Amino acid sequence: MVLQKILHMNSGNGETSYANNSSFQNVTISKTWDLVDETLRNMLENGDFADDHCLNLVDLGCASGPNALSVVSHVTDTIQELRKNGDGTSQEIQFFLNDLPNNDFNSLFKLVEIFNKGKEVCGSRSRCSIYGLPGSFYSRLFPRKTLHFAYSSCSLHWLSQVPYGLESENEENIYIAVDSPSEVLDAYAEQYKRDLFTFLSLRGEEMVPGGHMVLTFIGRRVEDRSSKDDCAHLAILAQTLLDMVTQGLLKKDDLHSFNVPIYMPCQQEIESIISQQGSFKIKKIVTFPVRWDVNKDTDESPFDKTRSGNLISDCVRAFMEPMLVSHFGELIDCNVLFERYSVKIGEYFSKERTSHHMLAISMTIQ
Ligand code: SAH
């Protein structure tokens, strides 16, 4: 399977779309604003960009929907604000929105148009050109030494491919599970290491001297790669798929050959890869929990198992459905799968109230 041809989030603006089911990612993004602001301040205070015609910024793995525009808006406003008291330089900004070619760029471009009109209406003088940039962030995306600031949130847990050899080892699991053999843990960790290494090397080539990067990872709080809490959302999805196999709704072989190309690293792992690769120096790391069922509109309401189950299920569906459909084919009824999943995950969550462990890292090119 060529992952880059399959991987995308649910398109459009409908009920199951990523655009409508990405509160988790939205809350994560907003929790990193302080780090982003501090990074941009450092970059503009210390960088020598006077001869550059424009500042080139990118959101790597932007998906489609309001989150991408919230990043553009926050970053460009912050730069504008910082420059008010600064040295008076005012290069124009080019903001690139990067994702894989199957991403719903059409919907994204409509939002860009609305965003640009909004800027005009407010009389904003900040000049920012926004472009779509299709391609894998595991390949070169920019000419050498042209990129000033790279941002990526909740995207770098996606691997470039399913690690080799997993089909025969991981059986009814679809990701690392508590009972996964060590070969599975190693295959995932090795693939992750290769991928992050590649990512850092490429960005290292593309960045201007003084360039900065803020990356936010969905991580693991402990070094143990098969810790229950960090894998449970995918373990429960595997159980739900297995129930459907048992009932003859899906084929056993299809489940055995299905493995999700995701990896959630712990802080030590990321730090060690960054230092081994050597292009970037870490300036600051912040970690914070984000509850699985977080929802920016209704966060204050009392706990409700069904509501939380639905929120988590809708979020997982928005990123898993295209991959499930591509693997299981027409056999899979995602309405049935995710109705069942929402009950199971709601039940689990009512006992565990789990959060994802998020890690945001600010770094600069060495
Ligand atoms: N940053 C957004 C989207 C997160 S979803 C937000 O926080 O809301 C993760 C996105 O990463 C998906 O849109 C997926 O297509 C993209 N992605 C995964 N692997 C990628 C790759 N190799 N290159 C570019 N984008 C990738």
mmCIF file of all heavy atoms in Angstrom, residues 145-174:
data_model
loop_
_atom_site.group_PDB
_atom_site.id
_atom_site.type_symbol
_atom_site.label_atom_id
_atom_site.label_comp_id
_atom_site.label_asym_id
_atom_site.label_seq_id
_atom_site.Cartn_x
_atom_site.Cartn_y
_atom_site.Cartn_z
ATOM 1 N N LYS A 145 17.622 26.651 1.942
ATOM 2 C CA LYS A 145 17.796 27.906 2.696
ATOM 3 C C LYS A 145 16.784 29.001 2.331
ATOM 4 O O LYS A 145 17.161 30.144 2.031
ATOM 5 C CB LYS A 145 19.219 28.442 2.524
ATOM 6 C CG LYS A 145 20.297 27.505 3.081
ATOM 7 C CD LYS A 145 21.604 28.244 3.271
ATOM 8 C CE LYS A 145 22.786 27.345 3.574
ATOM 9 N NZ LYS A 145 22.591 26.330 4.578
ATOM 10 N N THR A 146 15.527 28.611 2.306
ATOM 11 C CA THR A 146 14.503 29.625 2.008
ATOM 12 C C THR A 146 13.399 29.677 3.063
ATOM 13 O O THR A 146 12.559 30.576 3.035
ATOM 14 C CB THR A 146 13.815 29.334 0.652
ATOM 15 O OG1 THR A 146 13.290 28.004 0.679
ATOM 16 C CG2 THR A 146 14.765 29.514 -0.518
ATOM 17 N N LEU A 147 13.393 28.723 3.977
ATOM 18 C CA LEU A 147 12.272 28.617 4.919
ATOM 19 C C LEU A 147 12.648 29.268 6.257
ATOM 20 O O LEU A 147 13.690 28.955 6.831
ATOM 21 C CB LEU A 147 11.952 27.122 5.107
ATOM 22 C CG LEU A 147 10.787 26.744 6.012
ATOM 23 C CD1 LEU A 147 9.484 27.342 5.489
ATOM 24 C CD2 LEU A 147 10.659 25.220 6.086
ATOM 25 N N HIS A 148 11.754 30.172 6.741
ATOM 26 C CA HIS A 148 12.073 30.876 7.987
ATOM 27 C C HIS A 148 11.441 30.217 9.207
ATOM 28 O O HIS A 148 12.055 30.134 10.259
ATOM 29 C CB HIS A 148 11.603 32.339 7.897
ATOM 30 C CG HIS A 148 12.330 33.129 6.870
ATOM 31 N ND1 HIS A 148 12.007 33.091 5.535
ATOM 32 C CD2 HIS A 148 13.407 33.952 6.982
ATOM 33 C CE1 HIS A 148 12.833 33.880 4.858
ATOM 34 N NE2 HIS A 148 13.693 34.410 5.713
ATOM 35 N N PHE A 149 10.190 29.776 9.047
ATOM 36 C CA PHE A 149 9.490 29.227 10.223
ATOM 37 C C PHE A 149 8.616 28.064 9.788
ATOM 38 O O PHE A 149 7.826 28.184 8.853
ATOM 39 C CB PHE A 149 8.627 30.329 10.868
ATOM 40 C CG PHE A 149 7.840 29.851 12.061
ATOM 41 C CD1 PHE A 149 8.470 29.561 13.265
ATOM 42 C CD2 PHE A 149 6.458 29.675 11.976
ATOM 43 C CE1 PHE A 149 7.739 29.109 14.369
ATOM 44 C CE2 PHE A 149 5.725 29.233 13.070
ATOM 45 C CZ PHE A 149 6.366 28.953 14.265
ATOM 46 N N ALA A 150 8.789 26.928 10.476
ATOM 47 C CA ALA A 150 7.937 25.766 10.191
ATOM 48 C C ALA A 150 7.152 25.405 11.441
ATOM 49 O O ALA A 150 7.684 25.435 12.560
ATOM 50 C CB ALA A 150 8.801 24.580 9.761
ATOM 51 N N TYR A 151 5.886 25.089 11.217
ATOM 52 C CA TYR A 151 4.995 24.727 12.314
ATOM 53 C C TYR A 151 4.311 23.422 11.934
ATOM 54 O O TYR A 151 3.996 23.188 10.757
ATOM 55 C CB TYR A 151 3.946 25.846 12.471
ATOM 56 C CG TYR A 151 2.877 25.536 13.487
ATOM 57 C CD1 TYR A 151 3.080 25.845 14.831
ATOM 58 C CD2 TYR A 151 1.689 24.929 13.126
ATOM 59 C CE1 TYR A 151 2.113 25.548 15.774
ATOM 60 C CE2 TYR A 151 0.721 24.629 14.057
ATOM 61 C CZ TYR A 151 0.940 24.949 15.389
ATOM 62 O OH TYR A 151 -0.014 24.651 16.329
ATOM 63 N N SER A 152 4.109 22.561 12.915
ATOM 64 C CA SER A 152 3.353 21.354 12.622
ATOM 65 C C SER A 152 2.678 20.899 13.896
ATOM 66 O O SER A 152 3.308 20.849 14.960
ATOM 67 C CB SER A 152 4.287 20.257 12.097
ATOM 68 O OG SER A 152 3.540 19.111 11.813
ATOM 69 N N SER A 153 1.390 20.594 13.836
ATOM 70 C CA SER A 153 0.683 20.174 15.036
ATOM 71 C C SER A 153 -0.107 18.903 14.760
ATOM 72 O O SER A 153 -0.855 18.814 13.777
ATOM 73 C CB SER A 153 -0.265 21.300 15.495
ATOM 74 O OG SER A 153 -0.836 20.963 16.732
ATOM 75 N N CYS A 154 0.036 17.935 15.625
ATOM 76 C CA CYS A 154 -0.734 16.673 15.552
ATOM 77 C C CYS A 154 -0.594 15.979 14.196
ATOM 78 O O CYS A 154 -1.561 15.372 13.717
ATOM 79 C CB CYS A 154 -2.218 16.917 15.820
ATOM 80 S SG CYS A 154 -2.584 17.552 17.435
ATOM 81 N N SER A 155 0.557 16.066 13.557
ATOM 82 C CA SER A 155 0.738 15.429 12.250
ATOM 83 C C SER A 155 1.918 14.464 12.223
ATOM 84 O O SER A 155 1.917 13.507 11.455
ATOM 85 C CB SER A 155 0.992 16.489 11.171
ATOM 86 O OG SER A 155 -0.098 17.358 11.095
ATOM 87 N N LEU A 156 2.912 14.735 13.064
ATOM 88 C CA LEU A 156 4.152 13.950 12.944
ATOM 89 C C LEU A 156 4.072 12.578 13.608
ATOM 90 O O LEU A 156 5.061 11.856 13.626
ATOM 91 C CB LEU A 156 5.331 14.751 13.494
ATOM 92 C CG LEU A 156 5.930 15.671 12.435
ATOM 93 C CD1 LEU A 156 6.750 16.783 13.068
ATOM 94 C CD2 LEU A 156 6.779 14.880 11.441
ATOM 95 N N HIS A 157 2.909 12.216 14.130
ATOM 96 C CA HIS A 157 2.740 10.826 14.599
ATOM 97 C C HIS A 157 2.424 9.929 13.388
ATOM 98 O O HIS A 157 2.474 8.719 13.500
ATOM 99 C CB HIS A 157 1.650 10.717 15.650
ATOM 100 C CG HIS A 157 0.330 11.281 15.208
ATOM 101 N ND1 HIS A 157 0.135 12.631 15.041
ATOM 102 C CD2 HIS A 157 -0.813 10.681 14.847
ATOM 103 C CE1 HIS A 157 -1.089 12.838 14.607
ATOM 104 N NE2 HIS A 157 -1.694 11.667 14.477
ATOM 105 N N TRP A 158 2.095 10.539 12.236
ATOM 106 C CA TRP A 158 1.852 9.732 11.027
ATOM 107 C C TRP A 158 3.189 9.314 10.433
ATOM 108 O O TRP A 158 4.028 10.174 10.126
ATOM 109 C CB TRP A 158 1.058 10.537 9.984
ATOM 110 C CG TRP A 158 -0.389 10.679 10.335
ATOM 111 C CD1 TRP A 158 -1.007 11.812 10.790
ATOM 112 C CD2 TRP A 158 -1.407 9.667 10.256
ATOM 113 N NE1 TRP A 158 -2.338 11.561 11.011
ATOM 114 C CE2 TRP A 158 -2.619 10.249 10.696
ATOM 115 C CE3 TRP A 158 -1.415 8.314 9.882
ATOM 116 C CZ2 TRP A 158 -3.815 9.538 10.759
ATOM 117 C CZ3 TRP A 158 -2.616 7.611 9.944
ATOM 118 C CH2 TRP A 158 -3.790 8.218 10.377
ATOM 119 N N LEU A 159 3.374 8.027 10.293
ATOM 120 C CA LEU A 159 4.610 7.510 9.715
ATOM 121 C C LEU A 159 4.542 7.621 8.195
ATOM 122 O O LEU A 159 3.467 7.831 7.623
ATOM 123 C CB LEU A 159 4.788 6.038 10.113
ATOM 124 C CG LEU A 159 4.864 5.748 11.615
ATOM 125 C CD1 LEU A 159 4.793 4.249 11.883
ATOM 126 C CD2 LEU A 159 6.139 6.333 12.202
ATOM 127 N N SER A 160 5.691 7.403 7.537
ATOM 128 C CA SER A 160 5.680 7.451 6.072
ATOM 129 C C SER A 160 5.137 6.149 5.486
ATOM 130 O O SER A 160 4.769 6.087 4.320
ATOM 131 C CB SER A 160 7.088 7.709 5.548
ATOM 132 O OG SER A 160 7.910 6.603 5.844
ATOM 133 N N GLN A 161 5.123 5.098 6.299
ATOM 134 C CA GLN A 161 4.617 3.801 5.812
ATOM 135 C C GLN A 161 4.346 2.889 7.010
ATOM 136 O O GLN A 161 4.825 3.151 8.113
ATOM 137 C CB GLN A 161 5.658 3.144 4.925
ATOM 138 C CG GLN A 161 6.966 2.882 5.675
ATOM 139 C CD GLN A 161 7.961 2.084 4.845
ATOM 140 O OE1 GLN A 161 8.422 2.560 3.824
ATOM 141 N NE2 GLN A 161 8.240 0.863 5.276
ATOM 142 N N VAL A 162 3.603 1.830 6.774
ATOM 143 C CA VAL A 162 3.431 0.820 7.817
ATOM 144 C C VAL A 162 4.790 0.126 7.960
ATOM 145 O O VAL A 162 5.388 -0.273 6.964
ATOM 146 C CB VAL A 162 2.361 -0.213 7.410
ATOM 147 C CG1 VAL A 162 2.244 -1.304 8.464
ATOM 148 C CG2 VAL A 162 1.024 0.471 7.187
ATOM 149 N N PRO A 163 5.305 -0.003 9.195
ATOM 150 C CA PRO A 163 6.620 -0.648 9.347
ATOM 151 C C PRO A 163 6.628 -2.050 8.738
ATOM 152 O O PRO A 163 5.628 -2.768 8.806
ATOM 153 C CB PRO A 163 6.808 -0.712 10.870
ATOM 154 C CG PRO A 163 5.900 0.327 11.423
ATOM 155 C CD PRO A 163 4.756 0.453 10.478
ATOM 156 N N TYR A 164 7.773 -2.406 8.145
ATOM 157 C CA TYR A 164 7.893 -3.722 7.497
ATOM 158 C C TYR A 164 7.643 -4.857 8.476
ATOM 159 O O TYR A 164 8.039 -4.774 9.631
ATOM 160 C CB TYR A 164 9.315 -3.916 6.940
ATOM 161 C CG TYR A 164 9.537 -3.174 5.662
ATOM 162 C CD1 TYR A 164 10.564 -2.247 5.550
ATOM 163 C CD2 TYR A 164 8.719 -3.393 4.566
ATOM 164 C CE1 TYR A 164 10.771 -1.546 4.379
ATOM 165 C CE2 TYR A 164 8.921 -2.700 3.388
ATOM 166 C CZ TYR A 164 9.941 -1.780 3.305
ATOM 167 O OH TYR A 164 10.134 -1.082 2.152
ATOM 168 N N GLY A 165 7.036 -5.913 7.980
ATOM 169 C CA GLY A 165 6.984 -7.160 8.744
ATOM 170 C C GLY A 165 5.843 -7.239 9.737
ATOM 171 O O GLY A 165 5.645 -8.271 10.384
ATOM 172 N N LEU A 166 5.068 -6.174 9.881
ATOM 173 C CA LEU A 166 4.048 -6.204 10.928
ATOM 174 C C LEU A 166 2.895 -7.159 10.637
ATOM 175 O O LEU A 166 2.289 -7.705 11.544
ATOM 176 C CB LEU A 166 3.455 -4.808 11.115
ATOM 177 C CG LEU A 166 4.284 -3.835 11.926
ATOM 178 C CD1 LEU A 166 3.464 -2.603 12.199
ATOM 179 C CD2 LEU A 166 4.718 -4.454 13.237
ATOM 180 N N GLU A 167 2.617 -7.374 9.355
ATOM 181 C CA GLU A 167 1.454 -8.197 8.996
ATOM 182 C C GLU A 167 1.477 -9.542 9.714
ATOM 183 O O GLU A 167 0.466 -10.012 10.209
ATOM 184 C CB GLU A 167 1.390 -8.461 7.490
ATOM 185 C CG GLU A 167 0.966 -7.270 6.662
ATOM 186 C CD GLU A 167 2.124 -6.382 6.294
ATOM 187 O OE1 GLU A 167 3.196 -6.513 6.932
ATOM 188 O OE2 GLU A 167 1.970 -5.534 5.392
ATOM 189 N N SER A 168 2.679 -10.136 9.767
ATOM 190 C CA SER A 168 2.713 -11.476 10.335
ATOM 191 C C SER A 168 2.830 -11.459 11.858
ATOM 192 O O SER A 168 2.618 -12.459 12.507
ATOM 193 C CB SER A 168 3.894 -12.239 9.733
ATOM 194 O OG SER A 168 5.036 -11.424 9.828
ATOM 195 N N GLU A 169 3.168 -10.321 12.421
ATOM 196 C CA GLU A 169 3.459 -10.307 13.862
ATOM 197 C C GLU A 169 2.307 -9.793 14.718
ATOM 198 O O GLU A 169 2.158 -10.187 15.859
ATOM 199 C CB GLU A 169 4.661 -9.374 14.130
ATOM 200 C CG GLU A 169 5.917 -9.689 13.367
ATOM 201 C CD GLU A 169 6.687 -10.835 13.995
ATOM 202 O OE1 GLU A 169 6.257 -11.343 15.047
ATOM 203 O OE2 GLU A 169 7.711 -11.221 13.403
ATOM 204 N N ASN A 170 1.521 -8.888 14.154
ATOM 205 C CA ASN A 170 0.643 -8.113 15.034
ATOM 206 C C ASN A 170 -0.796 -8.633 15.100
ATOM 207 O O ASN A 170 -1.609 -8.122 15.858
ATOM 208 C CB ASN A 170 0.673 -6.634 14.607
ATOM 209 C CG ASN A 170 0.521 -5.687 15.769
ATOM 210 O OD1 ASN A 170 0.672 -6.089 16.920
ATOM 211 N ND2 ASN A 170 0.189 -4.451 15.483
ATOM 212 N N GLU A 171 -1.116 -9.607 14.287
ATOM 213 C CA GLU A 171 -2.393 -10.315 14.284
ATOM 214 C C GLU A 171 -3.596 -9.417 14.540
ATOM 215 O O GLU A 171 -3.885 -8.544 13.758
ATOM 216 C CB GLU A 171 -2.323 -11.463 15.285
ATOM 217 C CG GLU A 171 -1.138 -12.364 14.974
ATOM 218 C CD GLU A 171 -1.388 -13.798 15.251
ATOM 219 O OE1 GLU A 171 -1.942 -14.106 16.312
ATOM 220 O OE2 GLU A 171 -1.015 -14.610 14.367
ATOM 221 N N GLU A 172 -4.282 -9.633 15.669
ATOM 222 C CA GLU A 172 -5.546 -8.913 15.866
ATOM 223 C C GLU A 172 -5.366 -7.487 16.380
ATOM 224 O O GLU A 172 -6.341 -6.762 16.554
ATOM 225 C CB GLU A 172 -6.438 -9.715 16.824
ATOM 226 C CG GLU A 172 -7.080 -10.869 16.090
ATOM 227 C CD GLU A 172 -7.467 -12.029 16.995
ATOM 228 O OE1 GLU A 172 -7.386 -11.872 18.219
ATOM 229 O OE2 GLU A 172 -7.853 -13.070 16.451
ATOM 230 N N ASN A 173 -4.136 -7.098 16.644
ATOM 231 C CA ASN A 173 -3.907 -5.705 17.033
ATOM 232 C C ASN A 173 -3.733 -4.861 15.776
ATOM 233 O O ASN A 173 -3.297 -5.373 14.747
ATOM 234 C CB ASN A 173 -2.652 -5.587 17.898
ATOM 235 C CG ASN A 173 -2.802 -6.352 19.205
ATOM 236 O OD1 ASN A 173 -3.876 -6.332 19.804
ATOM 237 N ND2 ASN A 173 -1.752 -7.027 19.616
ATOM 238 N N ILE A 174 -4.038 -3.572 15.918
ATOM 239 C CA ILE A 174 -3.851 -2.689 14.754
ATOM 240 C C ILE A 174 -2.781 -1.639 15.027
ATOM 241 O O ILE A 174 -2.437 -0.840 14.187
ATOM 242 C CB ILE A 174 -5.173 -2.012 14.326
ATOM 243 C CG1 ILE A 174 -5.732 -1.143 15.456
ATOM 244 C CG2 ILE A 174 -6.186 -3.066 13.878
ATOM 245 C CD1 ILE A 174 -6.893 -0.265 15.006
#
